[in-house]
Structures are given as structure tokens and as C-alpha cells.
């Protein structure tokens, strides 16, 4: 009988051990630190996969299949409003260059309806009848004031005085994921390849140490240093001169990246786990990521972007000097977080 | 909305099942009637009586206490949550019963997480009778399996409560439970320790056998 009692005690102790996780944050303690994440959420982005977020003037623009706008200073759940489109179709890509919003559209059959610009409340069809006017544009990017457009067959064009002109990038093997400028040359990431050069004569880069052999997730630049994330799990950095170094391994599958506007923090998305932060203020080879605890705290991260499929990041500075970063989550809406100069507000759903 | 629907369906089932059991035992004319009060002694619960209770209702997160800060904190859990339990009691002396309870409670947080707690309790109850009403103060102690997102923990729990019943038939009572839960949640980092306070109000159906 006594043996059974001991067995029962052992079983109970094993149950306690298996069921308990002595986390760094207690369950009740974590609950006490929670803040509402959905109080200001717009119905437009519920379960949506945002295609882009951009800032022009004092307004933000974001798109799912439709296009939405909200003033910078308004953050209520009704702040976002749906915009009238210049054509009957869906949004495929968008970006801002200066004060001009560029948006690409296609019809339900995937046929291109052109790239349109929106300035001061007026839509203008860009390069009517041009080379890409009837092609589906799947990606738009701006670097150094130059607009790049990638078609569904991975041909990349740039806007040259109102005319979309070939860059030299054709059939890149994947759509352009971004564009950057290092002070001298442009850089385009598309598929598994990096292209560089002047905007009208981009060629495939073959520099030593550059990312190769894996899909490129994103590209960013502070104006001098170029950062590229690769599906192999590393972030590559190119300082002045053709010298590439890579971070410590983050995790395979990393994707979109963005520099925060203070240019010292690189956000690196991962389609399954959320995101990493890399302090790039003092880049060294083998740089290790932080937990994403600069831009948020553990509880907020766990209740927002943790394990979300982040497809894109963007960072903007508002009129009052506040930095606002956005995360686009596939099937899980649009999120934002702001830095007022001293602390981050934590992530909330837009 | 889905949670509300599930709660209502569960409530209907909880009340319907005991009623069905009663109906199956015989025609209404064959149902023993409740003895009048003069047929009972002061307390009709003699040694060996069994009570099986089905409880379903609302759960009210109240507060957390942080011992290291000496301060109470908001739980950030939405009110009400849902609670359910099944308990068994057996009278060991007249008007005094011991037994156990298993149950669960669910509450959503402001950040859209769901807290689930499943208490396993040893219970003692004192039974007072003024037919057709019965009144049962109860003390329960045990442990609770607590889960939130990917975190789980086993916590000691003390549950104080009282039940008010209307004796509908010789076999069944129906009424209301009200309970106060106190949980201690302890970690290797003392800053994470919390004492949790919760309330529970459930409708109850008790089968006597």
C-alpha cells in the first residue's frame, strides 16, 4: 500500500514538472503588464494581408486589395478611410516618392491597369501606353528619388522623366523585393540575385561575400551601407567598397527588413516566428540579433507579432518628430509602434 | 459571440441532462415526494449520502497582488469569463461532507489572450437545511493547472464559497454557487510571484443518491 502511495506521489511530481514552465515572465505577472492591442483597430485590416504602407505628407496610405488613408495624428479605429480608385481593379503595389503616392493596379484577370500617381488629391495615369502599362506590376520601390517597378515576370523598370524604362534587369527569377542606393550605385534585390549599377544599366552583382544561392528577403540602406536579408538565415552588409560581411545566423527563412528612421536598428522579419532586431550602429561580422525588446517588451511582443507572418516593415517620421514603424502581417493585418524620442509605445493593431 | 453561444449551449445541456435523468426514472406519479419538514430531523443529511453537483456559470477575475511590490494590480482580464465544475461530496457525519471537485474557467485578456485554469480540489461542506431550501458553506483546497498562450503553471488554490439550493425533488436540488478563489503563483524569480483573486457564480444542479 505504501509503495502505491509513493508511486502516486511520484506521478503527481512528474505531472507538476511536465506541466510547469518556469518562464521569465509569470502568467499573472504577464497579464498584469498587458495593454489593449485592438482598441484602435480598423475593420479594413481585420485578417487582411496588407500589400504596402507608405507616408506622403501628413497622411499614411495602406492597401489590401483596396486603398486606405489616415491622417498621421488620428489613431482611432475610424481613422482609416477607404479611397476612391481611379480604375476599376485591385491594388497590387504602392510606394511614395517625396509627396507623390504611386499605386499599381490590375483587373480580376491579372491584367495590368497601369501605375497611377496621386498628388494633392489628383490621380494621374503614369506613362500611358508605355512598356509596362498593360503588365501586372507586383512591386514598386523607391531609392534616391528613383521609382522602380517590377512586373510579374520579374522585369524591372525605372521611371525616367515620366516614362518607364528598362533597367537591364529581366527575368530575375523572382519579383523585386526592394531597392537601395549606396551613394554611388543603385541596388536591386530580386529572386536570388542582387543587381547594381546606374538605374539604366543594372547588372548582376558578383562581389565576394555577397548573398548567393538563396532567396533574398529584403534590402535596405542608410545611404551608404547596404543591408540584404537572405533565406539562408543571414543578414549581409556591404560597407563602402566591395566588402560584404554577414551577421550571425538568425534563422533560415528570414524575409523583409527595414531600418528604423534613426538608422541604427534593423528589423528583420521571419515568416513564422515574428521578427529580430539587429543593432547596426556598430556593425561587425557575426553580429548577433537582439530579442525584439528595443521596440517593445516581452508581453507586448508575445501578444502581438510573435509567430506572425510579417511580410514587410516600414519606418516613418511624423511631423512632431515621432518615429512610427509599421509591420505588415500576412492574414493578420497592419500593426504599428511609435518612438517619441525616449521610449517605444509597443505594438498595436491599426 | 462564439464564446457566448458555446456558453449558452453548455448551460442548456447542463440543466437539461439532470432533467432527463429524472424523467427517465419513472412517471411523475411514481416520483417520491419531498418529505415535509416534520418528517426530517434537524439535518436530513445522514452519514453515507452522496451529492453529485454539476455547475456552470460566470467567472470574475478580480485582482492580482504582487508581494514584492506590496501592490494590487489589474488582471487585464475581461469580465465575465466562464466557469464550470463537477463535484462529488459524501456525508461523513450528519450535515458534514467531504469530497472533491474538478472544473475549469476561461477568461479573455485585453490583448486577446485566453487564460485557462483547471482546479483540482479537496472539499469540505457543512449542510444546513430549512426545507425546501439548503445552504452549504464550503472550503476547498488543492491545485490549479493554469495555462496562458504557451505558458503553463501549477498553482496552489484555496476556494471559499457558499451554495444555496432549492430541493426540487427527493433526488434533485437546483441553486446557485458563489465562490472566491485565491491562487498563489510562485516562480524562481520572486518578482514574478502573484496572488490571484477570482470570483465565481454558477448555476448548479445536484443529484442526491
Amino acid at each position: 500500500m505504501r509503495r502505491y502511495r509513493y508511486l502516486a506521489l511520484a506521478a503527481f511530481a512528474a505531472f507538476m514538472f511536465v506541466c510547469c514552465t518556469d518562464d521569465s515572465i509569470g502568467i499573472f505577472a504577464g497579464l498584469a503588464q498587458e495593454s489593449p492591442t485592438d482598441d484602435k483597430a480598423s475593420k479594413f485590416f481585420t485578417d487582411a494581408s496588407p500589400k504596402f504602407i507608405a507616408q506622403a505628407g501628413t497622411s499614411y496610405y495602406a492597401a489590401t486589395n483596396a486603398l486606405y488613408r489616415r491622417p498621421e495624428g488620428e489613431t482611432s479605429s475610424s481613422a482609416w478611410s477607404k479611397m476612391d480608385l481611379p480604375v476599376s481593379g485591385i491594388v497590387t503595389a504602392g510606394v511614395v516618392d517625396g509627396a507623390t503616392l504611386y499605386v499599381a493596379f490590375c483587373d480580376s484577370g491579372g491584367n495590368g491597369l497601369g501605375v497611377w500617381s496621386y498628388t494633392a488629391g489628383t490621380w494621374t495615369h503614369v506613362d500611358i501606353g508605355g512598356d509596362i502599362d498593360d503588365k501586372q506590376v507586383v512591386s514598386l520601390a523607391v531609392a534616391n528619388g528613383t521609382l522602380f517597378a517590377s512586373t510579374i515576370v520579374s522585369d524591372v523598370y525605372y521611371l525616367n522623366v515620366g516614362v518607364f524604362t528598362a533597367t537591364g534587369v529581366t527575368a530575375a527569377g523572382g519579383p523585386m523585393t526592394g531597392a537601395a542606393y549606396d551613394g554611388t550605385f543603385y541596388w536591386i534585390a530580386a529572386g536570388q540575385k542582387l543587381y547594381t549599377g546606374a538605374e539604366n544599366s543594372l547588372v548582376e552583382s558578383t562581389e565576394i561575400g555577397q548573398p548567393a544561392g538563396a532567396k533574398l528577403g529584403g534590402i535596405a540602406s542608410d545611404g551608404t551601407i547596404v543591408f540584404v536579408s537572405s533565406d539562408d538565415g543571414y543578414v549581409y552588409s556591404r560597407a563602402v567598397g566591395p566588402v560584404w560581411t554577414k551577421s550571425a545566423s538568425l534563422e533560415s527563412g528570414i524575409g523583409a527588413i527595414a531600418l528604423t528612421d534613426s538608422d541604427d536598428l534593423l528589423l528583420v522579419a521571419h515568416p513564422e516566428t515574428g521578427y529580430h532586431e539587429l543593432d547596426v550602429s556598430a556593425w561587425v561580422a557575426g553580429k548577433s540579433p537582439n530579442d525584439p525588446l528595443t521596440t517593445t517588451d516581452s508581453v507586448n511582443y508575445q501578444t502581438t507579432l510573435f509567430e506572425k507572418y510579417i511580410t514587410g516593415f516600414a519606418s516613418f517620421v511624423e511631423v512632431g518628430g515621432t518615429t512610427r514603424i509599421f509591420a505588415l502581417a500576412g492574414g493578420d493585418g497592419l500593426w504599428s509602434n511609435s518612438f517619441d524620442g525616449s521610449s517605444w509605445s509597443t505594438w498595436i493593431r491599426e | 459571440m462564439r464564446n457566448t453561444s458555446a456558453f449558452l449551449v453548455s448551460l442548456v445541456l447542463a440543466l437539461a441532462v439532470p432533467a432527463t435523468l429524472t424523467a427517465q426514472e419513472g412517471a411523475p406519479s411514481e416520483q417520491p415526494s419531498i418529505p415535509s419538514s416534520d418528517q426530517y430531523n434537524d439535518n436530513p443529511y445522514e452519514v453515507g449520502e452522496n451529492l453529485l453537483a454539476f455547475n456552470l456559470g460566470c467567472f470574475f477575475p478580480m485582482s492580482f497582488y504582487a508581494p514584492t511590490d506590496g501592490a494590487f494590480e489589474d488582471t487585464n482580464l475581461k469580465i465575465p469569463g466562464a466557469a464550470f465544475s463537477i463535484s462529488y461530496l459524501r456525508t461523513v457525519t450528519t450535515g458534514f461532507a467531504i469530497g472533491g471537485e474538478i472544473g475549469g474557467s476561461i477568461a479573455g485578456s485585453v490583448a486577446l489572450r485566453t487564460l485557462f485554469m483547471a482546479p483540482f480540489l479537496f472539499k469540505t461542506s457543512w449542510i444546513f437545511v430549512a426545507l425546501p431550501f439548503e445552504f452549504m458553506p464550503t472550503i476547498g483546497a488543492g491545485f490549479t493547472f493554469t495555462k496562458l498562450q504557451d505558458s503553463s503553471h501549477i498553482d496552489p488554490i484555496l476556494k471559499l464559497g457558499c451554495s444555496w439550493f432549492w430541493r426540487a425533488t427527493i433526488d434533485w436540488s437546483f441553486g446557485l454557487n458563489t465562490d472566491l478563489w485565491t491562487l498563489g503563483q510562485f516562480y524562481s524569480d520572486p518578482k514574478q510571484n502573484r496572488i490571484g483573486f477570482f470570483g465565481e457564480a454558477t448555476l448548479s444542479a445536484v443529484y442526491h443518491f
Side-chain angles (χ1 to χ4, degrees):
Chain A
M1 191 63 176
R2 179 171 291 180
R3 185 198 300 176
Y4 291 121
R5 195 176 303 160
Y6 288 143
L7 280 173
L9 280 171
F12 178 71
F15 173 75
M16 298 270 284
F17 180 77
V18 168
C19 290
C20 284
T21 52
D22 198 24
D23 302 288
S24 57
I25 298 178
I27 291 176
F28 291 169
L31 282 167
Q33 291 176 44
E34 275 193 5
S35 55
T37 57
D38 282 40
D39 284 3
K40 298 174 181 175
S42 166
K43 62 183 180 184
F44 295 133
F45 302 116
T46 303
D47 299 330
S49 297
K51 292 177 177 170
F52 76 88
I53 174 78
Q55 179 198 47
T58 56
S59 291
Y60 288 115
Y61 298 87
T64 52
N65 284 336
L67 185 63
Y68 307 97
R69 172 177 55 192
R70 83 159 168 85
E72 258 183 21
E74 291 184 26
T75 56
S76 69
S77 59
S78 59
W80 287 96
S81 58
K82 191 173 183 179
M83 293 177 66
D84 292 332
L85 303 183
V87 290
S88 177
I90 61 172
V91 176
T92 57
V95 74
V96 163
D97 183 10
T100 302
L101 171 69
Y102 291 92
V103 182
F105 300 95
C106 77
D107 63 20
S108 57
N111 302 303
L113 297 173
V115 175
W116 294 68
S117 68
Y118 181 80
T119 309
T122 302
W123 286 101
T124 304
H125 194 160
V126 179
D127 191 19
I128 300 173
D131 283 354
I132 64 170
D133 203 37
D134 60 348
K135 296 182 174 68
Q136 187 183 143
V137 173
V138 295
S139 175
L140 293 170
V142 167
N144 188 40
T146 300
L147 175 68
F148 294 91
S150 172
T151 66
I152 197 166
V153 294
S154 306
D155 295 339
V156 180
Y157 295 77
Y158 78 103
L159 188 61
N160 179 22
V161 197
V163 177
F164 280 107
T165 307
T167 60
V169 178
T170 57
M176 172 180 67
T177 56
Y181 185 68
D182 67 6
T184 305
F185 295 114
Y186 290 95
W187 291 84
I188 297 285
Q192 297 185 1
K193 298 175 182 175
L194 269 176
Y195 297 87
T196 187
E199 64 271 35
N200 61 354
S201 55
L202 294 169
V203 295
E204 188 177 345
S205 172
T206 55
E207 292 180 348
I208 295 171
Q210 73 171 50
K215 181 175 174 289
L216 304 179
I219 186 169
S221 171
D222 64 359
T224 304
I225 302 173
V226 177
F227 300 96
V228 176
S229 63
S230 170
D231 192 64
D232 65 9
Y234 294 93
V235 171
Y236 294 77
S237 171
R238 181 188 188 273
V240 179
V243 179
W244 288 86
T245 55
K246 63 182 182 181
S247 66
S249 177
L250 279 69
E251 54 183 330
S252 60
I254 56 174
I257 61 173
L259 280 167
T260 59
D261 269 88
S262 55
D263 285 344
D264 58 2
L265 199 60
L266 188 73
L267 307 178
V268 185
H270 187 274
E272 293 172 2
T273 58
Y275 70 101
H276 300 278
E277 292 175 352
L278 273 175
D279 178 0
V280 295
S281 60
W283 179 269
V284 292
K287 187 82 176 179
S288 295
N290 308 327
D291 285 334
L293 295 179
T294 303
T295 48
T296 186
D297 58 63
S298 288
V299 171
N300 177 253
Y301 181 59
Q302 290 283 328
T303 58
T304 55
L305 295 179
F306 177 61
E307 296 184 341
K308 294 282 192 300
Y309 172 27
I310 298 172
T311 57
F313 282 114
S315 174
F316 307 106
V317 177
E318 299 183 345
V319 171
T322 297
T323 295
R324 187 172 298 277
I325 55 177
F326 290 87
L328 288 62
D332 220 331
L334 181 64
W335 300 77
S336 75
N337 186 359
S338 62
F339 182 70
D340 62 5
S342 59
S343 61
W344 290 91
S345 66
T346 67
W347 292 100
I348 60 168
R349 196 184 285 276
E350 282 282 328
Chain B
M1 180 61 90
R2 188 179 297 168
N3 289 342
T4 307
S5 301
F7 170 74
L8 290 174
V9 169
S10 304
L11 183 64
V12 169
L13 285 173
L15 295 177
V17 168
T20 305
L21 287 174
T22 303
Q24 288 172 344
E25 288 176 357
S29 58
E30 298 169 357
Q31 180 74 30
S33 59
I34 304 171
S36 59
S37 58
D38 58 2
Q39 290 177 273
Y40 274 124
N41 56 22
D42 286 343
N43 193 313
Y45 283 88
E46 300 292 354
V47 174
E49 288 203 45
N50 301 289
L51 294 84
L52 186 63
F54 305 90
N55 309 309
L56 184 66
C58 297
F59 183 63
F60 303 95
M62 296 162 67
S63 186
F64 296 141
Y65 178 73
T68 51
D69 298 335
F72 285 91
E73 301 170 324
D74 195 333
T75 64
N76 286 319
L77 292 165
K78 295 175 183 173
I79 294 175
F84 59 92
S85 63
I86 296 175
S87 69
Y88 168 76
L89 289 168
R90 181 179 176 87
T91 51
V92 291
T93 65
T94 300
F96 179 71
I98 62 171
E101 177 181 299
I102 59 173
S105 66
I106 298 171
S109 76
V110 295
L112 307 184
R113 293 195 288 182
T114 302
L115 175 72
F116 174 71
M117 292 192 287
F120 297 79
L121 297 168
F122 170 77
K123 288 180 72 171
T124 61
S125 291
W126 290 263
I127 307 168
F128 302 95
V129 176
L131 284 174
F133 301 105
E134 298 166 342
F135 170 67
M136 297 172 58
T138 301
I139 297 174
F143 63 91
T144 299
F145 172 67
T146 305
K147 184 164 178 61
L148 178 76
Q149 210 165 4
D150 294 332
S151 300
S152 56
H153 211 258
I154 302 283
D155 309 310
I157 178 175
L158 181 67
K159 191 172 174 180
L160 307 176
C162 197
S163 303
W164 290 268
F165 293 115
W166 168 62
R167 187 67 174 259
T169 71
I170 196 73
D171 292 328
W172 286 97
S173 300
F174 300 99
L176 175 72
N177 290 314
T178 53
D179 293 289
L180 174 67
W181 301 25
T182 305
L183 283 86
Q185 194 166 77
F186 304 105
Y187 291 86
S188 52
D189 176 4
K191 289 182 180 176
Q192 305 304 320
N193 295 347
R194 294 292 186 278
I195 309 293
F197 298 96
F198 302 88
E200 177 186 330
T202 54
L203 296 175
S204 183
V206 181
Y207 181 58
H208 303 259
F209 59 103

